[in-house]
């Protein structure tokens, strides 16, 4: 690990200002992804601003009947929250499908959103990787790519967004609240929060330098049946090959977002109109334009089949 | 005793030497994202409680909680397996919650209460989970065992607290202590010897009652 200086921030605005004014500075909260990458010197911040004691750990109702989740609410606490379990079940289900108990106890809501979109070649510092070292090339394209992206990828990067929580937040139309170094707040729809790689895969999100997430808000509950289906090589503590976050209403209408196939949670709203017609119709819209590799072409089929399982489960519920 | 200490120092010295030569030759992986210069190593004071005893340390900011426990406080029960949060050998309980101590900076734990395997129980005064692991052969080589036991104790607490898991059937009902629940919740603790079924028996005994 490269040396770094450390400070504890007193307020969100102070934290944002500290990161904005210090070259090579980063926020740290749970640290479960950042420290992992710092040990490999893939991340090498010169200064860490500890935001973990900022009291952004409350879950509270919003005036419009939704829910405001503090940035520092841990994955465990969010999944266990009674309002989330009752009204936003897909979010609880997605969170407990991810990582391990130890990691969920430490990982925060904001940090989970900010975990790097990544692949094994990003971790292997002997290999070229446009995300780790812009312009160095992509070893995943033409490499072992079974786990990697089939849609939304580019010629520079085919890594997938690995998280589960954000896939559920995408289906729920969450908004990400932030504050910047000047104390200015803004609200970013989750659909716009993660970037597609294009020619700049080293930039994962639309956050400006020093911009700090303070909360995630959910609109009022959708009702319906909430399902998170995760298909993976191991029954627990593994990334998704394909995951489906779904909210299905009694009449068969609903919403779906897909994880494990793209550099961000993948949702095609236009395809959701076909939900009463069944999984095949929805899937063809969701994966339209997919560019799989030889290794991961199966994922395109798997999206339809996972959707089929989800819609069948919703019918029985 | 002297002999083994001397060996420990020389082995550590050799490792430091390797790291230093790697740095000098520039063989370490480059940090593409930060073009600026890295600061000199930085030290900070930190105070927390370990197994009920207050400790004060001055540490390089890079020191993980695991390294603080093992290398500075000489509590070597917690083990370094993967050092990346994947194996669970470093699991300790901080403020009542199990975490991977390898993925946490010691300086971030100011004021916290840390419980390690040494605090759960001692020879002659074993924690019920330690006794159950012995009774049911919940280990072979034993390397993962301190992490398994810290995790197992916390898992039973998490189920009792009503925290759901991936295998919990209903989100609106309290999870039960079943084999499926315990297996799923223990997936962050890897045992290469494959003592899993015996670990489960030990946990079941401590949990009490019949299992499904």
């Amino acid at each position: 690990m490269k040396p770094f200086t450390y400070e504890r921030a007193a307020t969100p605005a102070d934290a944002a200002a500290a990161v904005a004014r210090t070259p090579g500075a980063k926020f740290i909260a749970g640290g479960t992804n950042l420290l992992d990458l710092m040990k490999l010197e893939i991340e090498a911040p010169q200064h860490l601003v500890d935001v973990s004691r900022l009291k952004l750990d409350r879950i509270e109702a919003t005036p419009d009947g939704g829910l405001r989740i503090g940035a520092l609410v841990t994955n465990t606490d969010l999944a266990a929250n009674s309002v989330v379990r009752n009204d936003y079940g897909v979010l609880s289900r997605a969170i407990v499908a991810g990582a391990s108990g130890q990691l969920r106890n430490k990982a925060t809501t904001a940090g989970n959103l900010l975990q790097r979109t990544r692949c094994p070649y990003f971790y292997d510092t002997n290999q070229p990787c446009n995300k780790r070292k812009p312009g160095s090339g992509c070893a995943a394209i033409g490499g072992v790519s079974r786990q990697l992206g089939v849609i939304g990828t580019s010629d520079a990067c085919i890594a997938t967004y690995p998280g589960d929580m954000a896939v559920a937040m995408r289906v729920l139309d969450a908004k990400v609240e932030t504050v910047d170094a000047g104390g200015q707040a803004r609200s970013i729809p989750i659909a716009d929060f993660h970037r597609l790689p294009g020619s700049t895969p080293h930039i994962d999100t639309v956050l400006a330098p020093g911009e700090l997430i303070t909360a995630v808000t959910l609109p009022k509950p959708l009702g319906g049946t909430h399902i998170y289906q995760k298909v993976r090589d191991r029954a627990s503590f593994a990334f998704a090959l394909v995951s489906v976050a779904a909210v299905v209403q009694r009449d068969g209408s609903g919403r779906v977002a897909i994880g494990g196939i793209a550099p961000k949670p993948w949702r095609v709203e236009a395809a959701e109109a076909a939900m009463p017609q069944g999984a095949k119709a929805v899937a063809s819209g969701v994966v339209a334009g997919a560019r799989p590799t030889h290794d991961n072409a199966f994922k395109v089929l798997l999206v339809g089949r996972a959707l089929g399982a989800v819609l069948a489960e919703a019918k029985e519920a | 005793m002297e002999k083994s200490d001397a060996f420990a120092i020389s082995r550590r010295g050799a490792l430091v030497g390797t790291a230093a030569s790697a740095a000098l030759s520039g063989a370490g992986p480059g940090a593409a994202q930060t073009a600026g210069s890295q600061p000199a190593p930085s030290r900070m004071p930190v105070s927390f409680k370990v197994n009920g005893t207050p400790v004060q340390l001055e540490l390089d900011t890079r020191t993980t909680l695991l390294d603080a426990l093992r290398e500075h406080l000489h509590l070597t029960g917690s083990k370094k397996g993967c050092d990346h949060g994947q194996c669970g050998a470093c699991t300790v309980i901080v403020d009542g919650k199990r975490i991977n101590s390898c993925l946490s900076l010691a300086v971030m734990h100011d004021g916290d209460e840390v419980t390690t395997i040494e605090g759960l129980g001692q020879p002659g005064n074993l924690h019920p989970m330690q006794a159950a692991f012995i009774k049911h052969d919940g280990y072979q080589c034993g390397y993962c065992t301190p992490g398994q036991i810290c995790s197992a104790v916390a898992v039973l607490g998490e189920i009792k607290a009503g925290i759901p898991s991936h295998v919990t059937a209903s989100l609106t009902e309290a999870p039960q202590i079943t084999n499926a629940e315990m297996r799923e919740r223990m997936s962050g603790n890897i045992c290469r010897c494959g003592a899993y079924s015996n670990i489960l028996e030990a946990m079941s005994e401590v949990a009490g009652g019949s299992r499904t």
Side-chain angles (χ1 to χ4, degrees), chain B residues 99-124:
Chain B
I99 66 165
N100 300 117
S101 62
C102 76
L103 280 189
S104 203
L105 294 173
V107 291
M108 292 179 74
H109 286 282
D110 204 61
D112 286 355
E113 299 211 5
V114 182
T115 303
T116 69
I117 190 70
E118 292 92 342
L120 280 182
Q122 305 79 35

Side-chain angles (χ1 to χ4, degrees), chain B residues 52-134:
Chain B
T53 305
V55 297
Q56 285 187 311
L57 296 168
E58 184 167 309
L59 298 171
D60 186 307
T61 52
R62 292 171 290 182
T63 312
T64 61
L65 178 59
L66 176 63
D67 285 341
L69 292 169
R70 287 182 54 85
E71 308 297 332
H72 296 268
L73 298 169
H74 308 292
L75 293 166
T76 53
S78 307
K79 296 296 187 277
K80 185 179 281 192
C82 68
D83 209 23
H84 284 275
Q86 296 171 2
C87 77
C90 68
T91 303
V92 300
I93 299 168
V94 176
D95 292 342
K97 290 172 182 167
R98 58 178 170 142
I99 66 165
N100 300 117
S101 62
C102 76
L103 280 189
S104 203
L105 294 173
V107 291
M108 292 179 74
H109 286 282
D110 204 61
D112 286 355
E113 299 211 5
V114 182
T115 303
T116 69
I117 190 70
E118 292 92 342
L120 280 182
Q122 305 79 35
N125 179 34
L126 295 181
H127 186 280
M129 191 66 78
Q130 291 172 315
F133 265 63
I134 293 169

Side-chain angles (χ1 to χ4, degrees), chain A:
Chain A
M1 209 185 296
K2 298 279 191 188
F4 57 85
T5 48
Y6 167 93
E7 72 175 279
R8 215 167 280 148
T11 68
D14 286 353
V19 166
R21 73 168 168 260
T22 317
K26 275 191 177 288
F27 301 114
I28 187 165
T32 53
N33 188 214
L34 182 58
L35 286 170
D36 177 33
L37 294 169
M38 284 169 64
K39 288 180 180 195
L40 297 166
E41 299 183 2
I42 293 166
E43 297 274 10
Q46 293 152 36
H47 183 68
L48 285 182
V49 176
D50 180 355
V51 295
S52 67
R53 298 178 188 226
L54 286 183
K55 306 287 176 211
L56 300 171
D57 56 355
R58 286 176 57 188
I59 300 176
E60 53 202 354
T62 62
D64 61 354
L67 202 63
R68 186 169 189 275
I69 304 158
L72 295 170
V73 174
T74 64
N75 282 181
T76 299
D77 288 347
L78 183 54
N81 179 269
S82 62
V83 177
V84 176
R85 287 159 77 167
N86 281 292
D87 296 339
Y88 304 96
V90 66
L91 181 56
S92 275
R93 286 290 184 202
I95 290 169
V96 296
S100 67
Q102 291 96 315
L103 291 170
R104 291 193 297 270
N105 279 344
K106 207 81 185 96
T108 63
T109 302
N112 191 304
L113 287 175
L114 291 173
Q115 63 179 310
R116 298 300 308 270
T117 293
R118 56 199 193 266
C119 92
Y121 295 99
F122 174 67
Y123 271 92
D124 184 348
T125 50
N126 295 309
Q127 301 278 348
C129 170
N130 289 319
K131 181 180 281 292
R132 175 168 29 81
K133 194 174 178 190
S136 64
C138 173
I141 296 172
V144 177
S145 56
R146 181 170 180 275
Q147 192 81 31
L148 306 183
V150 299
I151 197 163
T153 54
S154 73
D155 292 338
C157 182
I158 60 170
T160 46
Y161 178 75
D164 296 290
M165 182 193 81
V167 183
M169 286 181 171
R170 178 71 182 88
V171 95
L172 294 169
D173 278 336
K175 288 201 169 94
V176 183
E177 293 183 8
T178 68
V179 63
D180 70 13
Q184 195 73 35
R186 69 164 170 159
S187 177
I188 306 164
I190 186 86
D192 303 331
F193 183 78
H194 294 104
R195 290 179 71 257
L196 292 181
S199 58
T200 52
H202 58 291
I203 307 169
D204 287 341
T205 72
V206 297
L207 292 182
E211 191 173 5
L212 178 73
I213 299 174
T214 51
V216 172
T217 54
L218 303 178
K220 64 179 191 222
L222 295 166
T225 300
H226 288 227
I227 297 172
Y228 190 76
Q229 172 87 43
K230 185 173 181 180
V231 184
R232 45 185 161 172
D233 285 333
R234 190 165 67 178
S236 186
F237 201 10
F239 290 132
L241 289 167
V242 167
S243 70
V244 178
V247 177
V248 186
Q249 304 297 339
R250 279 198 174 279
D251 62 3
S253 67
R255 309 171 170 195
V256 291
I258 312 294
I261 63 168
K264 61 190 283 185
W266 198 252
R267 181 172 170 204
V268 180
E269 277 94 334
E272 291 166 3
M275 279 184 67
Q277 280 82 62
K280 221 173 182 179
V282 182
S284 66
V286 169
V287 296
R291 296 195 314 160
T293 65
H294 174 268
D295 288 356
N296 66 17
F298 75 96
K299 283 194 177 187
V300 179
L301 271 175
L302 191 54
V303 169
R305 289 175 183 170
L307 268 171
V310 164
L311 297 187
E313 187 183 333
K315 235 174 221 172
E316 285 169 18

